[in-house]
């Protein structure tokens, strides 16, 4: 419950949708509750598109935007129910939701079916998520059919359904001030968690003990859930890109790769750092670490307004390939390595992705064959890495070294702002952050 909701960002986003849909109708549902096992649910998470337009985090809710002269935002939500509130906690109910979140009207969700048919009547275009869930597709076609059955009363049914997510994706790609403030906070909390992990990790501990330090720091700052499953990967596990077991006992001489970000007020951070569990890098570990760091820093130069999204991916591939050649891990010329993509033995993912409410956030990377141009307000990750599995063709001292370095970057009018810059990154800073000890 929050009686002091700043609704202005949501109202202004809804106004942009009104401007885009003309006299159409936009209908966006929140996410369903999902069972984890038997009768126990996963912790509820709202749908990002719905939340973007409402700031309303309860399940069983739908926002309807009636365009044209009517221009009304109508929320459907759960009714007050003292009995349910004794068991499950507070719910706003339509009246309080309307007043606190500044909707033009709010109605019980039980009226959705009947009201949708009414609201769609004589509107030619419906904007709604298409193919997001079979249940929602059925709800929408059911409502359109219900209008059709009333045709003899003189109403006409919408002839066009457009996926509203294309419009919302374009909007979500450029973060507004409200979002940027939340993302700064999310990044600051995650950064603090990584520093805590560096301070606490030591040989002999299990990976899950370090994971607990990360979770502790997230939760004590009000970020109760991670933005994605933590990756706490020591030694050979660092070469498993989506390692989630967290059950290995760490040894002296291991590197520990932690990819962990929190969700704060609905916004994700996404940080990776790699550090020596014992506090000191071996020679080969430092060489690989420095190669990844050089690539990451070179990528930062391409993260500025006007540059194509793909540029920093090319930079990462070029710098990493050159370093792999320098270290004798690849052979041939740089051009051959890039052309034949032999570097993918050690670097097999992209250099980053949009970041926002979702860790792999909404928005096209390429539109009709042309890479997006970076613009102020976009937020993305910069995350090159190298992963060297045991391989007879590779000197043994490089085996099982996995390094990724990942920062969250806001494109600004003049360049960029690294939201996660408080996370130690140079060899010297990482070593000193590992001292506690
Ligand atoms: N942690 C997910 C990612 O880095 O893309
Ligand atoms: Mn990432
Ligand atoms: Mn990550």
């Amino acid at each position: 419950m929050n009686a002091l909701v700043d609704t202005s960002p949501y109202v202004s986003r809804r106004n942009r949708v009104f401007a885009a849909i003309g006299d159409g109708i936009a209908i966006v549902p929140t996410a369903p509750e999902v069972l984890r096992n038997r009768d126990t649910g996963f912790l509820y998470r709202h749908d990002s598109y719905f939340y973007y337009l409402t700031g309303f985090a309860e399940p069983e809710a739908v926002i309807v935007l009636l365009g044209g002269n009517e221009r009304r935002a109508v929320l459907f939500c759960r009714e007050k129910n003292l009995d349910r509130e004794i068991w499950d906690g507070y719910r706003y109910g339509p009246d309080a939701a309307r007043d606190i979140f500044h909707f033009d009207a709010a109605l019980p969700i039980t009226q959705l079916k009947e009201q949708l048919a009414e609201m769609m009547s004589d509107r030619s275009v419906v904007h709604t998520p298409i193919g997001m869930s079979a249940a929602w597709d059925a709800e929408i076609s059911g409502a359109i059919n219900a209008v059709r059955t009333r045709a003899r009363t003189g109403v006409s049914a919408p002839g066009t359904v457009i996926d509203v997510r294309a419009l919302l994706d374009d909007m979500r790609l450029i973060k507004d001030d409200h979002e940027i403030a939340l993302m700064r906070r999310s990044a600051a909390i995650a950064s603090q968690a990584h520093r805590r992990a560096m301070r606490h990790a030591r040989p002999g501990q299990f990976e899950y003990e370090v994971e607990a330090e990360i979770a502790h720091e997230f939760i004590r700052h009000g970020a109760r859930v991670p933005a994605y499953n933590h990756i706490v990967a020591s030694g050979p596990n660092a070469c498993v890109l989506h390692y989630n077991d967290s059950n290995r006992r760490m040894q002296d001489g291991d590197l520990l790769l932690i990819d962990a970000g929190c969700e704060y007020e609905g916004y994700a951070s996404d940080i990776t750092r790699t550090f020596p569990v014992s506090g000191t890098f071996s020679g080969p570990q430092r060489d690989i670490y420095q190669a990844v760091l050089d690539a990451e820093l070179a990528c930062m130069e391409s993260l500025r307004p006007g540059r194509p999204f793909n540029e920093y991916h090319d930079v990462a591939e070029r710098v990493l390939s050159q370093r792999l050649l320098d270290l004798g891990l690849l052979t041939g010329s740089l051009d051959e390595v890039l052309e034949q993509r032999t570097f993918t033995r050690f670097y097999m993912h992209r250099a980053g992705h949009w970041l926002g409410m979702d860790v792999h956030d909404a928005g096209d990377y390429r539109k009709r064959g042309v890479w997006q141009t970076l613009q102020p307000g976009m937020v993305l990750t910069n995350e090159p890495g190298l992963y060297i599995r045991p391989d007879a063709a590779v000197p043994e001292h490089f085996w099982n070294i996995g390094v990724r370095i990942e920062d969250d970057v806001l494109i600004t009018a003049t360049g960029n702002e690294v939201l996660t810059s408080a996370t130690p990154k140079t060899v010297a800073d990482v070593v000193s952050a590992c001292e506690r000890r």
Side-chain angles (χ1 to χ4, degrees), residues 270 353 381 383 406:
D270 183 6
H353 50 83
T381 67
E383 50 176 310
E406 176 175 26

Side-chain angles (χ1 to χ4, degrees), residues 228 259 270-272 352-353 355 359-360 381 383 404 406 408:
Y228 49 92
D259 185 344
D270 183 6
I271 302 180
T272 308
H353 50 83
L355 182 70
V359 63
H360 298 156
T381 67
E383 50 176 310
R404 181 164 63 256
E406 176 175 26
D408 302 345

Side-chain angles (χ1 to χ4, degrees), residues 53 114 169 178 318:
L53 295 174
E114 172 195 332
D169 283 353
H178 178 81
R318 179 168 290 271

Side-chain angles (χ1 to χ4, degrees), residues 107-135:
L107 295 167
I109 188 75
T110 47
Q111 292 182 20
L112 181 71
K113 211 174 269 308
E114 172 195 332
Q115 288 288 329
L116 270 190
E118 190 74 30
M119 290 169 157
M120 279 183 187
S121 296
D122 290 330
R123 301 220 172 240
S124 51
V125 184
V126 175
H127 302 259
T128 197
I130 303 172
M132 187 181 69
S133 82

